[in-house]
Amino acid sequence: MAAAAMLLIFSSEISSAQQTGKITVEGTVVDESGEPVIGAGVLVKNTVNGVITDVDGHYSITVNAAAGGGVLVFSSLGYEEQEVEVRSRTTLNVVLAAATNMIDDVVVVGYGTQKRSSVVGAISTINASDLRTPTSQLSSGLAGQLSGIIAVQTSGKPGANNANFYIRGVSSFQGSVNPLVLVDGIERNLNLIDTEDIESFSILKDASASAVYGVRGANGVILIKTKNGSVGKPQINLRAETGITQPLKIPSFVNAEQFAQMYNWATNSEYYTEEDIEKYRTQSDPDLYPDVDWMKTMYKNFARLHNIKMSVSGGTETVRYFVSGIMYDESSIYRNAGNVYDYDSSLNYKKYYFRANLDLNLTSSTVLLLNLANIYESRILPGSSDGNIWSWAFSISPNSVPKEYSDGTIARPSGTIENPWNLLVHTGYQEDFCNTAQSVVGVKQDLGMITKGLTANVKFSWDAFSRQNLSRTKTPTQFHAKGRDEDGNLIYGDPVVKGGESLGFSNSSSAEITTYLEGSVNYERLFNDTHRIGALFLYNHKIHRYTANTSATNAIPYKNQGIAGRLTYAYKDRYFAEFNVGYNGSENFAPGHRFGLFPAFSAGYMISEEPFWKPVKNVVNMLKFKASYGLVGNDQIGGARWLYLPTIIGGNSYTLGENGGYGGSGLAVGRPENLDFSWEKEKKLNIGIEFELFNQLRIMSDFFDCRRSGILIRRAALPGIAGLQNGDKLPYVNIGETWNKGFEVSMEWHKKVGEVYLTSRGNFTYNRNNLVNNDTPDWEYKYENRFGRPFGTGANQPWAYVALGLFQSEEEIENSPKQTFGEYRVGDIKYQDVNGDGEINSHDRIYLGYPNLPEITYGFGLNAEYKGWDINAFFQGISHINIFIGGTTLSSPFSNTAIERAAMQTDLWEKGWSTLTNNGQDLSQASKAVYPRLSFGSEPGSANNNQTSSWWQRDGSFLRLKNFEIGYTVPKSTMVKIGIAQHARFYIAGTNVLTFSKFKLWDPEQGGGQGASYPNNRIWTIGVNVKF
Amino acid sequence: MKKSLYIFILAIIAPVFSACDSFLDRQEDEQMTEEKIWKSYENTKKYFFNCMGYLPNEASQFHNGMVNFGGADEASMTWNYPYRHINFGSWNVTNIPCDKFELRYQALRDCNIFLRNVLNCSDPIIETDSSRKEMLEVWYYCVRWARAYNYFLLMRDYGPVILLGDELIDFTARAKDIERQRNPWSECVDYVVSEMTLCAEHLPESYNYANMGLPTKGTALAVISRLLLYSARPQFNGYPVYRSVRNPDGSYIFPPEFDAQKWVKSAEAAKAVIDLGIYKLYKDADHPDDPYLNYYGIFQKNWNEEIIYVDGGIRNRRDISVHVAPTDIATASGGAYGGWGPTQSSVDSYAMSNGRYPITGYKKDGTPIVDELSSYPDVENEFDLVSIKNPFLKSLGTSDADATSNSPQMYYDREPRFYVSVYYPGAGWKHGSAVGRAYFADGAVGHTTHDYPKTGYLVNKFYDHTMDSYQGQWGTITFPTYRYAEILVNFIESELECEANGVRSSDPSINHETAMSLWAELRERSGLPPITDAYPDADIHTLIDLIHKERQVEFAQEGLRYYDIRTRMIGTSVNNGPVYGLDVYVRASINDKEVPAAMWKRAVVENRVFRINHHLNPFPQREFDRNKILTQNYGW
């Protein structure tokens, strides 16, 4: 068929050659600064006759003399397309204007594209280059970049340093809150796409934008389109960078001397004598009196990453291609055992990535699309789990054992207490392989012969993911020295743990496959230059399966099917109206209840296009109002699959018969049948305004109001008389409700000041998501009601006691309401008696502070270019967020009474009540204490101080210099002289350069607890970007 | 070329657009479904088991899971189970010991599901086997009985409850839409009685070997009798303070006025069981004149003719025996946990062999007031040791030496039921052919672990002394949840109350003479003279008092006393304050053969708290949070 298509094109060339009379047009294409534009396409409009410019921007093209030579179309990536009538001229010099977002370009919308001016939905777009991040995970670059996106990254672990992201906050407290991410129209993992390959990045936020996704659209949609080739000779783009990653902050811990002192205070004893403490101080015997800084022992100060990306694109009228490849390598801060083993157990992540996007013209009206990508990731991991390593590193006391004994013997405190160094380096290693294959094949048919503006598409995709884990692990033989013999040698005795001498082997795997089919008909036409009409009708279905390491239930395919439709109308590009509808469903619901209709209406008014606007058009170049209202759904509702089906459970058994031999086990309906079981529904209202001032500043602002209902919850309000108050029977129903509202503003600004070209952008998003109904009763104390309270992800607004301070004296204890969490003393936390009943009990908790997801996110950046130099700074921040600190290293180091597992952070030494008062000897400093009195085991104070209370609540807000970059672009003239490449830019870039926060113990984005996980990184890279 | 391309495209699009709902069907994996249950006879039977399985079974739940054995004045159980919260008054709306409120309503829901479907069971085997078709009908009425019985169980704990009938409450409804207020007591009683009456019309009088244990016609009528007796008693018959308990609409939940006719109905209900003529008082087949074996056999001879209903069917006797057998005697070391101790007041409640009750009351300090006509020794001498040949052990065939002990004369010459029911320390404990002796002073055999009776006595009648539990042989038990003797006592109490209140049944056979002759029959079985022989001058009120005593003795430790205390509203007087037993904290050694003398005294075992509100359970707080029109019971 391809050959036939070629023939067809060939014949059309012949037919044009048969025309008599030709003229040659030549000229130079330059940009606004006069630099030649290399490789720009020059095409005779509505033909396949085209050439490209050379290194001087020069071109020469032969056109038909008839009709004055027709119209030439000049185009180049990053510039505005320009059409020039030849009018029989033979020389045409053209200046191409740089393309910016402010110009009326095209926006990718659900299942299509629209002119920016006609967009009436709430859609944000961004240049993919702004999302660039030195790490392997695209999502880690999202924070602060677009209005409406909330992104939080909690780990800097190589290969897992992705961020969780949400659009306009979260609206469900049970179901999934993750946006639908579509790459080339297929649901895919955002992090597997490289920014260099992205042509457009859009987020759809309101109902009008996402209604076509119906039951999948309620959490917002992210649309990513990868690049396609364009006509021209091969363009090669190479980027190579290398860098270092540094932990932003790892908590610091008390040393052995401080530890001994605190242990004595907590136990009110002289367990550690002055002599012992002296030995810790002088380190005269580091085997028996060790002082280990476990953080420094286990983790390095920096790690490395390398990244090479290359892409080639180009094509002819018949075939256009975009091919790219990436090699990525990132090491971790984990140390290894040195020369002990022939393998390196330190965490390492590598990614190999390949993508090929091909467009083939089968006929003059038929295009075949083929997108193929393969992503291969490999990881080396320590033999022990990350969680285990970090939790033991945050548990072991500084004086328990040395890293290893001085004679190389592997140390371990006891059978139940691990040495984290051993977990990190002495337990073998694991290899983890992931392979993702992504394929799309499509046919695009222009049906202009039926009626102008009609096109049809068919697209089929199959993706496969597989993961294999090979573990070669062991438990080493470990010893605990008991003392020294007469010769001074360490006495070990029997090992604490008798381990193996060789690595064991185990493996596991998982796999998924997804197929997707889509067919659509599109219509778009402008009548009389006045009425612009568009329509879309689309069918799709998807089948997703888990094919390895799964359960009987999960192995059953996950299916979606649906129809989407759209009607758009614009009058003189001034008034816009749009109707979107999704009609789709999933296999998770009962037959007859599987499909839902999700309509959305929207309208816009571009007042600045009105004739009467002319007088102020110089000041307000553009002003547009828009509004949308509609319904969208979320079928990722949580809970088991097919909840509409009743479950059949074992039930009671019964004894029957003369000898009891005729009874047996029972059978009963567990969860009752619920055919109405359904998806979450969200009614979204969006009101927006866009305006542009002085051709420099563009501002977009949206207000949104989202009411979600049908959130799946287990009935909590059912009285016992319903007869379902039983774990196997309590039904799930769709009755949870939330109300999420807020606003967002984004702005873009550009100005040329002399030789300096300045651009700036910023955005601000505020949203509050309140719980409206979670089916709990109206409690006696109204402040206990959760209704009307905000919530985060997997967590509600904190429900905690109000801490009033630490008890300063016995009299204060005597004169305060009784606290019912066990005994307490001076130096322990005092709580507020909220209901005033004279006793602090579980009814004295209130909702206070903010949940774990910020209500305010913002970002702003400034970019300046001067001659070949450019500098770029981008700040990002979050606010209205609270975190809780806790965990044994901060709040209860001696809760496990084992002396070897009582690690404490330095902050606890510096600001602890026990330190400041010398364990109650001198109370003058007591009021400065940030941590209550040390308690031991379950002794007085332990339970009292560990209640969830405002005492442990911290402000998680921060502002950070997220990206900072300085680059130098070699002038084109120099490049031409060198003659190898067309473009070269060198740069140095920093990520997470500076952080401003009230919270100092660790990076606040990492979240609450005690900071016991792989920290977020500061990253410095140097790189070069060359285009051939 | 182009045409072929269009055809190609249409060929792809056409099936796509013609797709339908079936695309989303779940891949078949043959799950069990609700419909499949009713398509199979065997699965329907399993659902039947599930419904019946909600009912209690006393033979294994007496010590945990039920409070009516350990929560009355007749026993102190050692184990720290829910009845101890009740005994010490440490319960409230959020801590209701053995709260079965939610479980009973779960049972009601499952019963309703079953009742809707069982008769439509579509297993083809039913068409070919008429016996199975009949069985479906039996199951239907059994579950209908079970549904009504669940209400009865709720009502005896909570009083008037919420009747749901056939309703399956809509689990998707808002809490506001499924609020229910309590049905008045009379409606609750009428509902249970009418359901039980219907069941009585359809249930068989008895079953073959395979279905023994299912409720019968007699069971349904026996439940009516017990319910109507409770309903006629003070708690549910115009108890003044309960008038304040009203629904939000102002209506009374408890009957506001006394109605003497309720005693008539109660008498008639008992008479209906008697008139069936299918039950009789158990007597030993070989020795019908041996009062010991006659009474003992009620709990030993499985499925005997006195038993009307065994809840939970036949059970391994070990469950109950191991809790009443003295530790270290009838089992290898630690193999028994004998800790179910009858209280001294229970011991005191037994008559002398002449039929007169020796202890008529107590002084403030706990000293008993002795009926001088009873032949009981003077109070000062009640613990004087005498040689007692235990007649029950003799009946079991024990040698004179093994049956004889030096024991306080308090235990001398008591009525036969005393020796069958109460194990007093130092007496022989027969197991198989062996006889051991236990007493419960601290450190002695029977008190070497935390498992010992705090009162110093043990319950005797549930253990099978003919089997050697030392060898792991315990036997089986059909625990008599309802037995014919109760119906007789129900009848006598009701008839006497009718007389006392001046009302009569239209049934002429319900009269004083019938009552007295049935009473005599009951006492004769246990070797006692008619009550009128022991108390020749008794007036009607004395007789009512005596039938209460008869009930307390006849059904001692059988779980009835707890509800008798409640329905008669006597908890604050009989189960409040010190509970007495023997002094088991006297030091002893496991080698001591003789019971230390210091143990023989009335010692305070525990101090109980029983307030007026404790006569009924509170409704759980969880229910109030969700059902805003629910009314709490008095005093909670």
Side-chain angles (χ1 to χ4, degrees), chain B residues 460-532:
Chain B
N460 203 14
K461 65 184 178 183
F462 300 135
Y463 180 88
D464 186 347
H465 289 279
T466 66
M467 294 216 158
D468 193 356
S469 55
Y470 206 100
Q471 306 296 330
Q473 294 169 10
W474 301 90
T476 53
I477 185 170
T478 52
F479 193 93
T481 308
Y482 287 82
R483 59 184 171 100
Y484 186 54
E486 181 195 341
I487 302 298
L488 299 186
V489 176
N490 290 355
F491 177 78
I492 298 160
E493 180 181 336
S494 305
E495 206 289 322
L496 295 174
E497 288 282 3
C498 286
E499 283 179 53
N501 287 292
V503 286
R504 277 204 71 130
S505 168
S506 57
D507 178 352
S509 68
I510 299 176
N511 56 37
H512 187 78
E513 289 67 36
T514 318
M516 296 315 281
S517 86
L518 289 171
W519 196 349
E521 206 180 307
L522 176 71
R523 288 171 67 87
E524 187 269 338
R525 184 259 298 271
S526 294
L528 285 163
I531 196 73
T532 39

Side-chain angles (χ1 to χ4, degrees), chain B residues 376-386 408-410:
Chain B
Y376 191 78
D378 292 341
V379 175
E380 306 85 68
N381 304 327
E382 60 180 355
F383 284 111
D384 290 356
L385 300 184
V386 293
Q409 52 177 332
M410 177 191 278

Side-chain angles (χ1 to χ4, degrees), chain A residues 326-365:
Chain A
I326 290 171
M327 276 190 294
Y328 182 87
D329 184 349
E330 184 178 355
S331 66
S332 69
I333 56 170
Y334 291 179
R335 293 185 197 276
N336 58 29
N339 298 326
V340 179
Y341 307 111
D342 280 341
Y343 57 83
D344 183 352
S345 63
S346 174
L347 172 64
N348 176 279
Y349 173 77
K350 286 189 175 68
K351 180 160 93 171
Y352 304 94
Y353 172 108
F354 156 82
R355 174 175 300 278
N357 291 352
L358 303 176
D359 301 336
L360 285 87
N361 287 26
L362 299 184
T363 71
S364 60
S365 62

